[in-house]
Amino acid sequence: MTSAEIRLSVAIMHHPRRRERIPPLVRDCAPLTARVVTDPDPDGVPSPLRTAKVAWRSIQDGATHHLVLQDDIVLVQGFATQLHRAITARPEHGISLYSHWDSPQNSYLIRRAAIAGWSFAPLSRSEWTPTQGFVLPVAVARDLADFLDGIPDEVKDDDEMVVRFCRESGIPVVGTVPHLVDHRFDPTIVGHPGRFHATVFLPAPALSAEYWQFSPSAEAALSRRVQPDEQMAYTVQMHRSRCLLRPLRPGTGEPVEHGFGWYWADHCGLVGVTVSDVLDGFEHLFETQDLLPALHWRIALEVWAAGYLLGADAVTVRRVEAAGIWPPATVGAGLAQAVMTSWIASGLAELDAARLAGDEGAALVAVGLAGVAQGWLSGWQETS
């Protein structure tokens, strides 16, 4: 499908208590015309699913693709242009414009693709599909609407139902890198705990018309991590100021949200990384670089280890033209900075985050990116 053939329909899921959000959101969608779909029972038990059922049926005549947005988001500058280019590159896919910054699987899959230099990341087939901004071809959108109609509103969470629909229907789902949507720091209508922010968000991304081009071989390489027959599928997680390896075990019945991870130093050998390599690189960094002396070594080591493991993993799905030294030309400094900044902000324990001054936070980001570069180089040497 060519760019000229893409015709996009847009619906915004809306709850009346957020009425002040609608005018700027509709304006930022321009020149796309967005329909506002209000919760049909706003005084009832909170249920995004109830509104999603209506939104996925609110398809404008003549559309080839349908986008559903939620009303607690902000959009990148040039939203319509970037979205149109992304859909043109992947017209048969479901496309998520957002992922939650500390989701167990999708946030890492997005970070891995970003560090490797790719504009899309295949998403998990078991973790909820992010629906703050989600696009489907119109025929598939109608099928999704039919599917949702058969689910009681009391289920509440539409994202849990969307991943089930896409998995059972064989619809491939990718996330944009960077995201085109960010979540406001607001309580959710349903009342989910925690803070909500995008994994990789640049408010005004400078992306060329060619940026969203993507190769089937890259998608195949990235997708292996989420295949049910992958022998050693894992993600890397920053959780309460600790770096963890999180094995993915599809088909075991383990809930995606389980709180168990393997401490990196105890299990990194399973993914081809030695503890000594990680520690040697960390000590060398502090010996050779003018980092803030007040920076807490315990926290810095965990951030370095997370970056190292990410770099060593991402180099295995690198672009062919990428050089041995990270970052390759396709990874802009702003993108890498966003990857690490959100990872640290979401992964530090509250007490540790409160203790960090502004300069120390910036230094931690630098430590994490230095770890990525070291892990990338080590991984490159192993695979070259």
Side-chain angles (χ1 to χ4, degrees):
M1 183 173 285
T2 67
S3 176
E5 294 173 317
I6 300 294
R7 297 180 301 279
L8 189 60
S9 168
V10 183
I12 300 175
M13 293 169 51
H14 170 56
H15 194 282
R17 76 173 66 165
R18 292 172 172 164
R19 60 177 55 87
E20 76 282 357
R21 309 282 176 75
I22 294 301
L25 190 52
V26 169
R27 182 184 64 241
D28 291 345
C29 285
L32 299 171
T33 301
R35 295 180 176 178
V36 178
V37 177
T38 302
D39 187 334
D41 185 15
D43 296 324
V45 175
S47 173
L49 176 61
R50 182 172 57 230
T51 311
K53 291 178 180 181
V54 183
W56 282 107
R57 289 214 178 276
S58 300
I59 301 172
Q60 297 167 17
D61 293 341
T64 60
H65 293 77
H66 187 51
L67 164 67
V68 172
L69 298 170
Q70 297 183 5
D71 63 0
D72 54 353
I73 59 171
V74 294
L75 310 179
V76 297
Q77 291 183 22
F79 173 75
T81 297
Q82 299 301 340
L83 177 59
H84 192 273
R85 291 171 178 171
I87 295 172
T88 301
R90 281 290 175 267
E92 304 301 322
H93 286 56
I95 304 176
S96 281
L97 312 183
Y98 170 92
S99 71
H100 185 41
W101 64 352
D102 67 353
S103 60
Q105 296 181 23
N106 286 332
S107 64
Y108 181 73
L109 297 173
I110 291 286
R111 289 187 174 100
R112 181 174 180 249
I115 293 303
W118 298 112
S119 51
F120 293 98
L123 297 185
S124 170
R125 297 182 176 192
S126 55
E127 185 176 285
W128 62 91
T129 296
T131 53
Q132 280 72 19
F134 190 54
V135 184
L136 285 171
V138 160
V140 181
R142 292 194 177 103
D143 289 343
L144 173 59
D146 290 341
F147 177 83
L148 295 178
D149 274 347
I151 300 168
D153 293 345
E154 290 77 10
V155 172
K156 297 183 181 180
D157 292 323
D158 59 324
D159 50 8
E160 296 276 10
M161 298 302 102
V162 170
V163 70
R164 177 180 159 192
F165 166 81
C166 291
R167 182 177 63 246
E168 294 177 358
S169 302
I171 307 300
V173 177
V174 293
T176 59
V177 183
H179 298 322
L180 304 183
V181 161
D182 197 4
H183 201 297
R184 291 174 176 266
F185 274 178
D186 294 332
T188 65
I189 292 293
V190 175
H192 291 307
R195 299 173 297 152
F196 299 91
H197 191 63
T199 302
V200 184
F201 184 77
L202 302 174
L207 306 175
S208 69
E210 295 75 34
Y211 175 81
W212 296 105
Q213 294 177 0
F214 197 62
S215 73
S217 61
E219 185 167 328
L222 290 164
S223 293
R224 281 196 290 272
R225 182 56 55 86
V226 297
Q227 298 302 320
D229 57 351
E230 177 71 4
Q231 291 300 307
M232 187 55 204
Y234 69 95
T235 66
V236 181
Q237 185 178 32
M238 279 290 297
H239 182 64
R240 296 181 181 176
S241 299
R242 300 176 79 232
C243 172
L244 304 174
L245 286 167
R246 189 180 182 97
L248 310 182
R249 297 175 2 115
T252 62
E254 291 180 353
V256 172
E257 304 91 336
H258 73 75
F260 301 102
W262 298 345
Y263 187 59
W264 73 269
D266 296 330
H267 295 91
C268 63
L270 294 175
V271 298
V273 173
T274 69
V275 175
S276 61
D277 284 344
V278 177
L279 294 179
D280 289 347
F282 177 71
E283 292 170 356
H284 179 72
L285 175 75
F286 272 80
E287 291 170 358
T288 59
Q289 306 234 356
D290 185 20
L291 295 173
L292 291 174
L295 193 62
H296 200 299
W297 274 54
R298 175 183 61 83
I299 301 172
L301 174 58
E302 299 301 308
V303 171
W304 165 273
Y308 189 104
L309 292 168
L310 173 60
D313 191 11
V315 76
T316 65
V317 290
R318 64 189 180 272
R319 298 181 72 99
V320 173
E321 67 272 21
I325 303 299
W326 184 85
T330 48
V331 182
L335 189 63
Q337 198 86 1
V339 165
M340 190 57 61
T341 300
S342 76
W343 208 5
I344 293 171
S346 66
L348 288 185
E350 290 186 14
L351 185 59
D352 289 333
R355 288 172 175 168
L356 291 175
D359 288 344
E360 289 179 318
L364 266 184
V365 171
V367 168
L369 292 178
V372 170
Q374 185 64 36
W376 178 281
L377 178 59
S378 298
W380 176 274
Q381 292 170 342
E382 288 290 328
T383 58
S384 297

